Amino acid sequence: MTDHAVAHEDLRPLMFSIAYRMLGSVVEAEDVVQDAFLKMHRAHDAGTVIESPDAYATTVTTRLAIDALGSARLRREQYVGPWLPEPLVADRAPDPAHRIELDDSVSVAMLALMERLSPVERAVFILRETLGYDYTDIAAVVERSEANCRQLFARARQHLADGKPRFEASTVRRDQLVGAFLRAVQEGALEDLERLLAEDVVFYGDGGGRAPAFSAPLLGPAQVARTLLGLARRSDRAGIRLEATGVNGQPGLLATGPDGALLCVLSLDVVDGRVAALRNQLNPDKLAHLGHVGDLAAALGG
């Protein structure tokens, strides 16, 4: 194995974790990582001395991700319906680089919330909050002054303050609630399901025009519970199976067809013992990195 190949394997998880947090897209993050390696290899071949591969990889990846996010924002403005990030599912990560440390900072809720930030604000926030960089190093990465980086970080935190997600601290309580949630859905227990939902629960669906989804989020336990049970009845008739899993470090559900094809990934925000938000990723383009994806509309009969 060449030195380049060794460096590639060692640095790729770090680079992917930065690019994915920046972009909320596995496909776009992989493109950034590939471009970053090409740039690093060219620098190495040109005789550039790289004293700290980690720091150099972080710098190159972050700068490329800032540019990529600017372009992605233009495309997302034309997106059909609510936009949600591409999910990472613990037991469906064929690429080892995708098995990044999954914590609150990479939850579907947090990635969606960070869409409020400008590309540079997002980079500064990730470098400071997630990677623990000091402002001197952050300034060098984003090519801004230290004072400006402090302002950008403060502004980012302010933008995120109102909607920053809170999650159930106890994994035991969280898993118990998700188990009860799944049973209520499968058994059609409307009242039990409503009791498991927060009073201000919200249900998002991202079909991207490629799969059936809500045109706007659903609000309130009554509407969300009845919609879930209606979908569950149709799914049961179609032989669609639901199973609990972990999605971006938080609890979630997978829906698979009779042939085992993945149909959607649902992430759940559990707060104070209730489900506060549901985010359903149905766009097949955003699930392709998880394996074989089926046609949800066809599975449900149109």
Side-chain angles (χ1 to χ4, degrees), residues 144-160:
R144 302 288 183 95
S145 69
E146 287 186 43
N148 186 224
C149 289
R150 291 179 186 275
Q151 292 172 345
L152 288 167
F153 181 69
R155 194 182 308 156
R157 293 190 70 175
Q158 184 175 0
H159 287 325
L160 299 177

Side-chain angles (χ1 to χ4, degrees), residues 29-57:
E30 286 287 8
D31 288 343
V32 163
V33 171
Q34 185 63 27
D35 289 346
F37 270 117
L38 289 174
K39 193 167 185 177
M40 291 171 66
H41 291 169
R42 291 192 190 107
H44 180 272
D45 293 341
T48 300
V49 177
I50 301 175
E51 296 181 357
S52 173
D54 283 14
Y56 194 81

Side-chain angles (χ1 to χ4, degrees), residues 70 78 127:
Q78 308 300 320
L127 291 171

Side-chain angles (χ1 to χ4, degrees), residues 24 79 82-86 108 112 204-206 278-281 286:
Y79 196 77
W83 182 93
L84 294 175
E86 296 174 16
V108 174
Y204 304 91
D206 178 350
L278 306 90
R279 293 176 173 84
N280 199 18
Q281 185 54 263
K286 293 185 174 185

